[in-house]
Each structure stands twice: as structure tokens, then as C-alpha cells.
Amino acid sequence: MADKGTDEVAADITDGAAKKGKSKLSTPPSRALPMRTWLVVLTVMISAFGLVGSSVAVHVLMREVLFSRVDEDLAMGIDTWARSVQLNRGSSVTPMPSEFCQITISPTGSIRTVNDQGSPPDFHQITELGTPVTIESTANSLEERDWRAIAIQGDDGTTTIVARSLEPEQQLMAGLGAIQAIIAAIVLILMGLASYYFVRRAMAPLREVESTALAIAEGDLDRRVPEWSRETEVGQLSYVLNKMLGELQDSLEEAQSKEEQMRRFVGDASHELRTPLTSLRGYTELYRQGATDDVDFVLTKIDDESKRMKLLVEDLLALTRAEGTRLSMKPVDLLELTLSVASSARAAFPGRAIEVDNSTAAIPVVSGDADRLHQVLLNLVVNGLKHGGEEATVHIELRYDEDNVIVVVADDGEGMSPEAAQHIFERFYRADTSRSRGSGGSGLGLAITKTLVEQHGGTISVVSEVGVGSVFTIVLPRLKEAELPSQADDE
Ligand code: ADP
């Protein structure tokens, strides 16, 4: 047989999935970073952006405040001590604060610098009078230094420049910058660690889903994703996954059991066919080897075995048909059908007693295929006559309740043991092999009967006792009276 077994198909699927899973693991499709790394990097980057932004804002504001204070001091200096006559006259006693420097340029061009602190401001950089500006120290200074300076011109043409070193402010700003950098670094490290921790925690269920999926791909089909609250996304995902896995497993198991049933059926059928074939070969060999010259005997035996094989093949076909065909459902009067079955059986078994007892008050109608239901009942009646023994009588009783019509086919024949009664609806089962084979039964009759009854939405059961007889009960859904007129109109 070219078809693969379900087991092999399942193995192929799991193998394929496992291979796919492995190849995915060994050859990642791209160099993409995992989502958790991206989340951590993104969190740290956004935090860094915020920290840099706020540091720049603080820095700019701080600078503004400090410079405006210096500018106020300069303006005050210009208005107070810078105008001091003493200072201009070069007196050594000066009220000028020590951090300031004053440069006086007389109309004649003479320059006088007081307290240049070794790094005099380069006053040439001042382009506007009366406005404080930041300038550098002159090139020959001891150290490079920034000055804040303001220049005014007196009525006599003397230019007075008052400057203040920006060293204290710049030191303050540098200190502030360092503190900000340290705080930013600590905050970023903490943010990185915290986001790594929380992202890992949030992703933990997904990792479990992943490892479960991998385990399933590697063949552990019973594994399931742990259940989380359905309020969460992962909870919903795991619920849907588990549902899907359950359904997949069910259909796989169903396919496996159908495959198993089919295999058993083919095995049983071959076995059943082999028995008459072996007999056929046996008789032909017997004749060929000269063990008998009774041609009539050999031909009769061959004919018997061929009939048995024909019967078996016909029953196999009937079973396949019963399982595969769609019934043509119509309202069927079971009383009429039962009477017709009884008369068919009487014709086939002349002289045997077949009684029909109807305890229904109204017509017992079911929806069904009349030919198939005839086949079902006739099979039960013939079984009673055949397997019950020569003396057995068959009694058919018809009754109904609110929902069902019940047909009881009982015989007072040889009966069966309880275990035999349990198995008689299975294919090829025969309660008493020698007798049944002798009677030519294929062991398929009741399997076909059961299939047909179930196709009608009914059930069949048996109660039997050795030496007492067998009682078969068929329950079929009764066609409600309300449904009858329209059905009858159709006919
Ligand atoms: P078969 O073709 O052998 O009749 P069935 O499926 O109809 O196959 O029946 C299966 C077996 O059940 C029979 O071989 C027989 O042993 C047993 N059986 C069925 N009906 C009866 C009955 N009314 N009384 C005793 N045995 C029965």
C-alpha cells in the first residue's frame, strides 16, 4: 500500500516540526536583536535623552542666573567705585573688590590697568559700550581666563572698563556638570537594570510558551502551555494555544484510531477470505495428487467454498455500503414493515414459527430508509432461526413510548454466553465458530445491522442466555405526529 500510516504521518509532522524548530534555532533568519534587548535599549535611550535634555536646561538656566548676577555687580561697580576719583587718580587706596579688574583708557591713549590678576582681559574684544560681554584674557596672560566686562565712556572721553573674572562661575558650572553626569550615569544604570528585570519578568510566560511549543515540536504532544489569567495577553494566547493543541491532538488520535480500525478490518477480511481459499486449494491439490478420484465430491466442496467466499464478499460490500451510503429517509410504518419481514422469513424458512405482536395504539412511524430497515429486521429474524437452532421460534414485538418506537426480536433458541453477547456486533465475530461457519455466516450481519440502526439515529442491544434464547431490542426515534402530514403529502 502506497499510503502512509497515520502513525508515520504524525511522526513526519512532528519530525518536520522538530527539524524546522532546530533549523530556526541554529540559523537565525537575521541579526535582529531579541525584543527584550530592544525594550531595555529603548528604555535606557529614552531615559538618557530625558536626562541630557534636563541637564542642558538646568545648565543654561544656571548660567543665566550666574551671569546676570555678575552683570549686576558690574553695573554696580561702574556706578560706584569705578567712578572713584581716587581710583582714576591712581591712589593706592581703592574701594574696588578684589575679584574685579579695572582698565582706564584716557583720551590720549594711555592705558591703566588695576588688579589684572596676572591675566588681563583683552578689552579689544568689547565692541559695544554699556553692555556686559564675555571676553577672553590677553594672549600673554598667565592663564587663559574668561572675563565678564562692561565699558563706558565718560564725558571727558575717558573709557572705563570694569571686568570680573568668570572663574568662580565656571568652576561652579563645571562642578554642576560633573554632578549631573554622575547622577545621569547612576540613573541610567538603574534604569537599565530595572527595565531588564521587569522585561525579563514580563517575558517569562512567553519563554514558557516557546519552550512548550518546542517540546511539542519534538514529539511531546501531551504538553500544554501553563494557564494564566485570561485578562492578560499571554493568558489569552496560552488559552487559544491549548485549545488548538487539544483539537489537533483529538483529530490526530481520531485519525489514528480510524487507521487502526481500517487496518484491523482489512486484516480480518483477508483472514476470513483465506480460510475458504485454503480449502479450495486443499481440494484441488487432493484431486491433483490422486488422493481422490471422486470428481463430484471435489467439485461440490469447491462450489461450497466459492459460495462462502461470495457470501463474504457480498457482506463486505454490504457493510461498506451501509457505512458509506446516504439513506433516503421517508416516514416508514414499522408495523407494515415488520409484517412484510415476517412473511419474507416465512417464505425462506417454511414451517418455522414467526409471530408478530403489535402493542402500539397508533401507527408506529419512524423516519428511515424502508429497504435498509427491512434488511435490519430480516437479519435479526433469520439469525434467530439460523443460530437459535431447528426448534427455535421467533417473536417480533412492536411498541412505542413518547419519543421512540421499540422493536424487539426474541427467539427461544440456544442463546449465547454473556461474553459472546458483548461481541456479536463486532465485525467477523461468531459466537460458536463451528456451528456458525457451518451455517455459512460471515460474522458481518450484526455489524451491518448496527451500522444501519445507528445511521437512523437509533440503538441496538442484546440480552441472551444459553439455553433460553436471545432478545434483540432496537430503539428508533419516533416521528412526531406533527411532522407526519407534511411528510405524507410529499409522498
Ligand atoms: P453471521 O453471519 O454469522 O450470522 P452475525 O453478525 O449476524 O453473523 O452474527 C454473529 C454471531 O452472533 C453469529 O455467528 C452467532 O454465533 C451469534 N448470533 C447472532 N444471532 C444469534 C441468535 N439469535 N442466537 C444465537 N446466536 C446468535
Side-chain angles (χ1 to χ4, degrees), residues 120-167:
D122 181 8
F123 58 84
H124 296 103
Q125 293 175 16
I126 301 171
T127 51
E128 210 180 319
L129 291 170
T131 310
V133 285
T134 302
I135 56 172
E136 290 164 1
S137 51
T138 53
N140 55 357
S141 304
L142 286 178
E143 58 181 63
E144 276 185 24
R145 183 183 287 189
D146 285 338
W147 293 85
R148 191 77 178 161
I150 186 166
I152 53 161
Q153 202 161 40
D155 298 337
D156 59 352
T158 307
T159 303
T160 306
I161 297 158
V162 172
R164 216 204 83 175
S165 164
L166 285 175
E167 207 175 6

Side-chain angles (χ1 to χ4, degrees), residues 54-102:
S54 70
S55 300
V56 168
V58 167
H59 213 80
V60 168
L61 263 172
M62 196 69 187
R63 205 181 123 112
E64 282 298 307
V65 169
L66 291 175
F67 276 33
S68 68
R69 252 199 240 156
V70 173
D71 290 351
E72 275 169 25
D73 287 352
L74 288 176
M76 205 178 71
I78 282 284
D79 287 343
T80 55
W81 44 259
R83 291 186 194 280
S84 160
V85 180
Q86 282 174 324
L87 185 70
N88 287 335
R89 280 182 191 154
S91 165
S92 59
V93 184
T94 164
M96 181 179 142
S98 61
E99 65 270 30
F100 287 87
C101 164
Q102 179 165 352

Side-chain angles (χ1 to χ4, degrees), residues 177-207:
I179 289 170
Q180 281 178 322
I182 291 167
I183 290 174
I186 292 171
V187 167
L188 287 181
I189 289 169
L190 288 179
M191 281 301 282
L193 290 176
S195 57
Y196 179 74
Y197 171 74
F198 284 113
V199 166
R200 250 186 99 81
R201 240 181 79 151
M203 294 279 176
L206 276 183
R207 276 205 306 279

Side-chain angles (χ1 to χ4, degrees), residues 315 379-380 383-384 386-388 411 414-416 424 426 429-432 435-436 439-447 464 470 472:
D315 277 0
N379 190 31
L380 292 182
N383 270 358
K386 250 176 22 183
H387 301 301
D411 67 75
E414 294 172 13
M416 290 167 273
I424 52 169
E426 292 169 13
Y429 183 83
R430 298 180 185 94
D432 176 346
R435 177 164 52 80
S436 301
S439 67
S442 66
L444 286 172
L446 286 177
S464 188
S470 312
F472 286 87

Side-chain angles (χ1 to χ4, degrees), residues 272-273 275-281 283 295-313 437-441:
E272 291 297 324
L273 278 168
T275 314
L277 268 175
T278 313
S279 301
L280 272 180
R281 264 187 67 86
Y283 287 119
V295 178
D296 275 352
F297 168 76
V298 173
L299 282 180
T300 311
K301 287 295 176 189
I302 290 177
D303 195 38
D304 285 352
E305 295 305 331
S306 310
K307 277 187 191 140
R308 195 161 297 163
M309 279 170 66
K310 185 169 176 275
L311 181 101
L312 182 64
V313 170
R437 268 177 219 256
S439 67

Side-chain angles (χ1 to χ4, degrees), residues 355-419:
E355 292 163 20
V356 178
D357 180 7
N358 177 31
S359 354
T360 57
I363 306 169
V365 183
V366 296
S367 173
D369 187 318
D371 291 338
R372 300 283 160 230
L373 289 175
H374 192 279
Q375 183 185 347
V376 163
L377 290 183
L378 188 61
N379 190 31
L380 292 182
V381 173
V382 169
N383 270 358
L385 297 170
K386 250 176 22 183
H387 301 301
E390 290 297 319
E391 303 300 315
T393 61
V394 174
H395 186 97
I396 310 172
E397 190 195 339
L398 212 58
R399 52 173 199 267
Y400 61 59
D401 61 20
E402 186 60 31
D403 301 318
N404 302 301
V405 177
I406 300 141
V407 190
V408 179
V409 181
D411 67 75
D412 53 3
E414 294 172 13
M416 290 167 273
S417 67
E419 333 101 80

